[in-house]
Amino acid sequence: MADSQGYGATGGHGAPPQRQHPYGQPPHGAPQYGRNPYAQPQYAQPQYSRNPYAQNPYARPVPPQPANGLPNGLPGGPQGSPAGGFPGPAPRRNRLAVLIQFLLQWIYAPLWILGLVLLLVVLILADNVGGSGPSSDGWLKVNRSFIPPRRLRAELTGRPEDWERYVAPVLARRIAAAEAAHAAGDGELQADLGRVVGTRLALRLYRGLGAAGVVRLAERHGWHGVASGTDAGHVRLARHFPAPATLDAPSPQGPPAAPGTPWGPQPVRFAPLLPFVFLLQIVYVPVYGLLTFWVSRPEPDYWDRWGARWTVGPRAFRAEFTNSPAAWDRHIRRILERDTKRIRSAAAGTAAPAASATRTPAHRIHLKRATYRGAGAHRALAIAAEQGWTLDPAYAPDPANSLRLVRPDLP
């Protein structure tokens, strides 16, 4: 007979301790898989700051935040479901089929690549190619049917922990690349002047983990899942970055910046070499691009920086060859006039945006370093201010590489 202290009963003194299975094997009578970490756990939603540019004339009023805590326009899951209702693991593939594909891919993948190279050569040498190609470029991407050795174990075992070990580094690389693109100026501009960057993963990369598991891993990096952009074959992830709190930049009416500083004039290239660069770039630019197109660049704006160093445009040739302040001023004004005309012509073909007392429609332009190299970013900012352009508060200033400017809607 069991006493009040539990002698002789389950869980009493002298009874063996209850073992907890790491993947949720419950005791007898408990709900099945009640503690599975690959189920849809309840994670706290990230909180986003309000508009840091409340006094900025180009800032839009921040709409009320929805109940799920995501910025307006970023759909999440239903209220009370932080995981967003994302699907779980997909059905496992046949292990024999996976092994056969893994063995045969070392034969057909090189042949496939060789065939693509020969096809490219034929298309280049052919005088006329009739008809039209396929609507999708999926047949060009042999990597979609390639199983790397790191994924083979996960495909064969089907265990969620094996899939997580494979997916985690892949997801980390995708997120790092997207955040680097944001630092270079990429991202969808939001009403609060913040920007949203995103990425997505194909089902073959997370089959045994499920979209819910991928979202759980992404939340460790500060990202969240986007349910509206997720289909049966992909999971879409996004992150909202608020606008910079302050703009560390000099006043356009302030004293000129010193040469060599980020806002001052930058060194120009040796003038006698510029004619050779101007002529030879027609040859070495495409050759360099063809020889290095397969190289993964960590900087999303690599080609802009490479072009500013190794090429010279016809408009900037005179300014850089003479390195005259007057020539640089004329070049900057010419580029601003060109961009302004482009904005006006684009706006002429669209309906005028509805203006209100709290929101001023704005236009944005992007000046590259080659536009103001010898004059300096501060001088370019002063010339742009004469036409109503100011620094864009949605981007952190990067005067050594580019200037992002904004102004009210042009009449």
Side-chain angles (χ1 to χ4, degrees):
M1 178 177 179
D3 58 8
S4 59
Q5 300 297 326
Y7 288 99
T10 301
H13 294 283
Q18 296 291 331
R19 300 185 62 183
Q20 297 292 336
H21 193 277
Y23 291 98
Q25 295 294 339
H28 179 71
Q32 187 72 9
Y33 302 109
R35 299 173 57 86
N36 187 356
Y38 294 97
Q40 299 176 4
Q42 302 294 322
Y43 291 95
Q45 292 294 325
Q47 299 297 324
Y48 301 96
S49 61
R50 293 283 180 172
N51 185 4
Y53 292 96
Q55 304 299 326
N56 191 283
Y58 307 110
R60 301 179 183 178
V62 180
Q65 297 295 318
N68 60 6
L70 299 178
N72 198 34
L74 297 178
Q79 187 174 0
S81 178
F86 295 97
R92 289 180 56 185
R93 297 180 57 192
N94 183 272
R95 286 184 289 182
L96 180 60
V98 171
L99 285 174
I100 293 176
Q101 179 181 349
F102 180 79
L103 295 176
L104 294 180
Q105 69 187 2
W106 305 101
I107 301 175
Y108 70 74
L111 296 177
W112 194 339
I113 296 174
L114 179 61
L116 293 178
V117 173
L118 295 177
L119 178 61
L120 179 61
V121 173
V122 171
L123 293 178
I124 293 176
L125 298 179
D127 294 334
N128 295 307
V129 179
S132 59
S135 58
S136 173
D137 63 346
W139 61 281
L140 292 171
K141 301 179 179 179
V142 63
N143 62 301
R144 294 184 177 179
S145 60
F146 194 85
I147 301 178
R150 293 177 300 171
R151 198 173 81 214
L152 179 63
R153 177 181 175 85
E155 290 274 12
L156 295 178
T157 64
R159 294 196 297 248
E161 57 269 27
D162 291 337
W163 276 101
E164 181 173 337
R165 279 193 292 268
Y166 168 72
V167 175
V170 174
L171 181 62
R173 289 193 298 268
R174 298 284 183 92
I175 288 178
E179 293 181 350
H182 168 267
D186 196 9
E188 182 181 352
L189 197 64
Q190 302 297 303
D192 62 349
L193 296 182
R195 285 176 289 148
V196 171
V197 293
T199 187
R200 69 174 189 169
L201 269 69
L203 178 63
R204 67 178 185 276
L205 302 177
Y206 63 89
R207 176 183 303 273
L209 192 60
V214 176
V215 172
R216 176 176 58 83
L217 294 178
E219 288 175 345
R220 300 176 184 176
H221 300 272
W223 286 57
H224 62 269
V226 183
S228 64
T230 300
D231 52 31
H234 297 85
V235 57
R236 182 184 172 196
L237 307 170
R239 182 176 180 180
H240 177 271
F241 288 88
T246 58
L247 297 181
D248 186 12
S251 171
Q253 293 76 27
T261 60
W263 288 94
Q266 302 296 320
V268 297
R269 290 167 287 190
F270 187 50
L273 290 179
L274 287 179
F276 298 97
V277 173
F278 184 76
L279 295 176
L280 295 179
Q281 66 185 4
I282 302 175
V283 177
Y284 67 73
V285 168
V287 170
Y288 181 75
L290 290 175
L291 294 178
T292 62
F293 75 94
W294 53 272
V295 178
S296 179
R297 308 293 183 184
E299 308 88 0
D301 56 346
Y302 169 83
W303 288 106
D304 289 340
R305 302 188 183 193
W306 186 89
R309 183 177 181 181
W310 296 105
T311 65
V312 56
R315 294 186 180 91
F317 181 83
R318 177 181 176 86
E320 189 169 1
F321 185 80
T322 61
N323 200 25
S324 168
W328 280 111
D329 285 3
R330 285 194 299 269
H331 177 57
I332 295 173
R333 295 180 191 277
R334 185 164 56 244
I335 296 299
L336 287 173
E337 182 180 359
R338 180 201 65 182
D339 292 346
T340 302
K341 288 182 179 179
R342 184 182 302 169
I343 290 175
R344 283 176 174 161
S345 61
T350 58
S356 64
T358 58
R359 181 173 61 88
T360 302
H363 290 293
R364 290 174 163 85
I365 61 174
H366 185 198
L367 298 182
K368 303 297 180 61
R369 175 188 177 185
T371 303
Y372 56 84
R373 183 201 306 266
H378 183 262
R379 180 57 184 166
L381 183 61
I383 295 176
E386 298 174 359
Q387 305 180 23
W389 296 97
T390 61
L391 280 178
D392 196 336
Y395 300 86
D398 186 19
N401 296 297
S402 64
L403 277 180
R404 295 183 179 272
L405 305 174
V406 64
R407 64 170 288 175
D409 190 27
L410 299 174

